[in-house]
Amino acid sequence: MDKTTVKVTRSILKGAPEPTLRRLPLYYRLLKQLRETTGRTGISCTVIGSELKLDATQVRKDIEMTGTVGRPKVGYEINELISAIERFLGWDKITEAFLVGAGNLGEALMGYPGFTDCGLSIVAAFDVDPNKCHRVIHGKHVRHISKLTGLMRRMRVQFGIITVPGEHAQQAADLLVEGGAMAIWNFAPVKIHVPENVIVTNEDLYCSLAVLSQKMTRRLAETRSKGAVKS
Amino acid sequence: MDKTTVKVTRSILKGAPEPTLRRLPLYYRLLKQLRETTGRTGISCTVIGSELKLDATQVRKDIEMTGTVGRPKVGYEINELISAIERFLGWDKITEAFLVGAGNLGEALMGYPGFTDCGLSIVAAFDVDPNKCHRVIHGKHVRHISKLTGLMRRMRVQFGIITVPGEHAQQAADLLVEGGAMAIWNFAPVKIHVPENVIVTNEDLYCSLAVLSQKMTRRLAETRSKGAVKS
DNA sequence: AACTAATAGAGAATTTATTCTCGATATTTA
DNA sequence: TAAATATCGAGAATAAATTCTCTATTAGTT
Ligand SMILES: NC(=O)c1ccc[n+]([C@@H]2O[C@H](COP(=O)([O-])OP(=O)(O)OC[C@H]3O[C@@H](n4cnc5c(N)ncnc54)[C@H](O)[C@@H]3O)[C@@H](O)[C@H]2O)c1
Ligand SMILES: NC(=O)c1ccc[n+]([C@@H]2O[C@H](COP(=O)([O-])OP(=O)(O)OC[C@H]3O[C@@H](n4cnc5c(N)ncnc54)[C@H](O)[C@@H]3O)[C@@H](O)[C@H]2O)c1
């Protein structure tokens, strides 16, 4: 067993570091785009790095986690790399999902075609509001929330997306767990509590906005103080 | 100048580490919620930590960045902490923003009342599609994209939100920069190129989905291999 | 008043992530 | 064929983030 194999095995056992996981989609998109727009079949970490403004070594280490091996002076095979990332992230298989809360955000997600890239398929949505139910949005049925658990078990859906208002997010999570959810993608700005074996990721807009706001605030403060010095 | 002052000064000069910035909104929400639902006026890192499943020391270090000082055995004043976070992130001031791309996601963002917490106010939206223009969505006007640059300069709006399809994101960014944007919140899944002095944050759904997918894939692999061992 | 328990704050230790350095290898060019 | 060059892959070095340890302080309790 060579060293690459050891690393890949570790990446499967312990999981890749989160920063790596968050960068892989960036490579993935770039590679797909390159494959479509240009005719090239190979790529090096140097190029990926300069394109995405990342350190080439970092790119190489990230790619290493997926198990792809490259060749000196040449780089990696684009197709091979794309499949490796897909396989590593589980994007090569279709994952069916239920969405809870067919409001503004829920509808936008239901209509988003881009999720097919990740193998994510929202198969149905659920809502408490009778006016929202029995409609078909972007080709998907909206059903009453009371049907969720039963249908989820019957259809063996294991992925849930929460887009209800914060105060109902825990209730939505409970229903998803009862239905057998294994993973939940939570868009509500609250911490939800689930059993240990359920994986939760929060999509928290406030978190990224905080990064942006603080940078902006600092920039403004700098400009002001410099201006003061000048005047 | 005491040590706390030194730390705060540094946090203003060099900026807080990004992980800290991303956690501050979590504290902020918890505190607001506690203030509203319970009558308590003080809180300790221990409580915040156990509530959010974070290490108490980490919470304390994060809070330190905002300049708030606590008292042993008591903790922090909730009101004081809330204002300190607001001030630190720049959420105490209104930031007016223009949104480019009044589609599914753009409309959802325009209708989202939660941004007032961060002082973010979307004052107008812009679109190329004539059918989308001249409408009023959630109380905000949608105008033709050709008006963006002029209006932005006139109204001195410095914050842009991009919700156009990926292939037009760069164009949208260029217009925002031309209009004098200082910060851009990009929801399109592409890397946009802007001058050095413009701050960009990408809200990339694929990144968080990747974290979730990979964990799920790994979990599934484990279950399968365990099942195989058992049988 | 003394004792106990809880907590902030400082700094050290540890862990994790990123960046640097170097040797091996493959490709291209002279 | 030999030399030059770009790149991967491995490991070391560095930097950043997290966690641990200790001390001082304060509120409550006996
Ligand atoms: N709209 C945005 O741009 C945006 C941005 C960031 C976060 N969010 C978050 O996403 C969530 C949804 O936002 P939105 O703007 O779509 O809100 P919305 O009010 O438009 O939609 C919420 C939907 O959930 C349904 N609902 C309420 N309680 C329910 C329950 N117990 N079970 C099932 N369905 C239920 C409502 O009927 C409604 O259709 C909120 O938590 C919000 O904080 C939204
Ligand atoms: N819908 C989602 O849930 C979702 C999720 C993740 C990311 N995104 C990203 O957000 C962006 C918008 O998604 P959407 O679902 O709202 O798409 P959409 O097609 O519903 O809306 C895009 C809007 O942008 C407008 N537009 C196109 N080119 C423009 C230009 N040059 N200038 C101004 N306006 C222009 C279109 O007329 C349309 O109204 C896309 O980049 C998408 O990848 C969307």
Side-chain angles (χ1 to χ4, degrees):
Chain A
M1 194 147 99
D2 68 325
K3 294 202 175 161
T4 306
T5 316
V6 171
K7 276 206 183 164
V8 172
T9 308
R10 180 172 317 150
S11 81
I12 290 166
L13 291 179
K14 303 208 338 181
E18 199 167 308
T20 294
L21 290 177
R22 300 188 71 91
R23 281 189 298 265
L24 285 174
L26 307 183
Y27 309 150
Y28 181 72
R29 272 206 304 261
L30 176 67
L31 294 168
K32 279 213 155 179
Q33 190 198 316
L34 283 176
R35 183 170 65 176
E36 274 157 39
T37 60
T38 73
R40 63 190 303 171
T41 58
I43 187 127
S44 74
C45 293
T46 321
V47 175
I48 296 178
S50 77
E51 204 68 33
L52 300 174
K53 305 242 167 71
L54 294 171
D55 184 82
T57 310
Q58 186 169 69
V59 175
R60 196 171 300 124
K61 289 232 192 287
D62 289 340
I63 288 177
E64 205 167 37
M65 296 300 280
T66 70
T68 316
V69 290
R71 286 193 308 163
K73 176 86 183 186
V74 184
Y76 304 88
E77 197 70 39
I78 290 190
N79 284 329
E80 199 186 325
L81 200 41
I82 289 177
S83 330
I85 296 176
E86 278 178 347
R87 210 169 33 248
F88 185 68
L89 296 177
W91 288 3
D92 57 337
K93 293 184 283 292
I94 300 288
T95 305
E96 296 196 321
F98 275 2
L99 182 144
V100 192
N104 287 317
L105 184 59
E107 285 197 17
L109 293 177
M110 285 166 80
Y112 188 52
F115 289 139
T116 51
D117 273 344
C118 326
L120 187 70
S121 165
I122 301 177
V123 290
F126 298 84
D127 208 296
V128 266
D129 187 344
N131 297 320
K132 303 251 173 176
C133 298
H134 310 299
R135 290 180 308 156
V136 177
I137 297 174
H138 297 115
K140 285 139 194 174
H141 281 275
V142 181
R143 304 187 191 283
H144 192 260
I145 187 77
S146 58
K147 303 272 167 47
L148 189 145
T149 307
L151 252 180
M152 202 166 172
R153 290 214 166 275
R154 191 130 42 84
M155 294 174 69
R156 296 181 194 284
V157 171
Q158 300 196 84
F159 195 106
I161 302 175
I162 296 179
T163 48
V164 301
E167 54 271 32
H168 300 117
Q170 185 58 54
Q171 189 199 334
D174 293 344
L175 290 173
L176 287 169
V177 169
E178 202 188 321
M182 179 177 180
I184 294 175
W185 197 5
N186 174 36
F187 284 79
V190 290
K191 173 108 195 159
I192 57 174
H193 299 272
V194 296
E196 280 245 327
N197 60 327
V198 178
I199 309 158
V200 177
T201 294
N202 297 295
E203 189 69 45
D204 196 332
L205 260 50
Y206 292 86
C207 295
S208 29
L209 183 56
V211 178
L212 192 54
S213 312
Q214 212 262 347
K215 283 185 187 166
M216 191 166 164
T217 303
R218 222 150 46 77
R219 182 71 56 88
L220 282 171
E222 272 170 33
T223 331
R224 238 198 312 283
S225 62
K226 267 190 203 161
V229 171
K230 270 186 195 168
S231 66
Chain B
M1 195 147 97
D2 68 326
K3 294 201 176 161
T4 305
T5 316
V6 172
K7 276 206 184 164
V8 172
T9 307
R10 180 172 317 148
S11 81
I12 291 168
L13 290 179
K14 304 208 338 182
E18 198 166 309
T20 294
L21 290 176
R22 299 188 73 89
R23 281 189 300 264
L24 285 174
L26 307 182
Y27 309 150
Y28 181 72
R29 274 206 303 261
L30 176 67
L31 294 167
K32 278 213 155 181
Q33 191 198 315
L34 284 175
R35 184 169 65 176
E36 274 157 40
T37 60
T38 73
R40 64 191 303 172
T41 58
I43 187 124
S44 74
C45 293
T46 321
V47 175
I48 296 178
S50 76
E51 203 69 34
L52 300 174
K53 305 243 167 68
L54 294 172
D55 184 82
T57 311
Q58 186 168 70
V59 176
R60 197 170 299 126
K61 289 232 193 289
D62 289 341
I63 288 176
E64 205 166 36
M65 297 298 281
T66 69
T68 316
V69 290
R71 285 193 307 164
K73 177 84 180 186
V74 184
Y76 304 88
E77 197 70 40
I78 291 190
N79 283 329
E80 198 186 326
L81 200 41
I82 290 177
S83 332
I85 296 176
E86 278 179 347
R87 209 168 35 245
F88 186 67
L89 295 177
W91 288 3
D92 58 336
K93 291 184 283 292
I94 300 288
T95 305
E96 297 196 321
F98 275 2
L99 183 144
V100 192
N104 288 317
L105 184 59
E107 285 197 15
L109 294 177
M110 286 167 80
Y112 188 50
F115 288 138
T116 52
D117 273 345
C118 325
L120 187 70
S121 167
I122 301 177
V123 289
F126 298 84
D127 208 295
V128 265
D129 187 345
N131 298 320
K132 301 250 172 179
C133 299
H134 309 299
R135 290 180 309 156
V136 177
I137 298 173
H138 297 116
K140 284 136 195 178
H141 281 275
V142 181
R143 304 187 190 284
H144 191 262
I145 187 76
S146 57
K147 304 272 169 46
L148 190 146
T149 307
L151 252 180
M152 202 167 172
R153 290 214 167 274
R154 191 130 43 83
M155 294 174 69
R156 296 182 194 285
V157 170
Q158 301 195 84
F159 195 106
I161 302 175
I162 296 179
T163 49
V164 301
E167 55 272 31
H168 301 116
Q170 186 58 55
Q171 190 200 333
D174 293 344
L175 290 173
L176 287 169
V177 169
E178 203 188 320
M182 179 180 180
I184 293 176
W185 196 5
N186 174 36
F187 284 79
V190 289
K191 173 108 194 158
I192 58 173
H193 300 270
V194 297
E196 279 245 327
N197 60 327
V198 178
I199 309 157
V200 177
T201 294
N202 297 296
E203 188 69 45
D204 196 332
L205 260 50
Y206 291 86
C207 294
S208 28
L209 184 56
V211 177
L212 192 53
S213 315
Q214 211 262 347
K215 284 185 186 165
M216 191 166 165
T217 302
R218 223 151 45 78
R219 183 72 54 87
L220 282 170
E222 273 170 32
T223 332
R224 237 197 314 282
S225 63
K226 267 190 202 162
V229 169
K230 270 185 194 168
S231 65

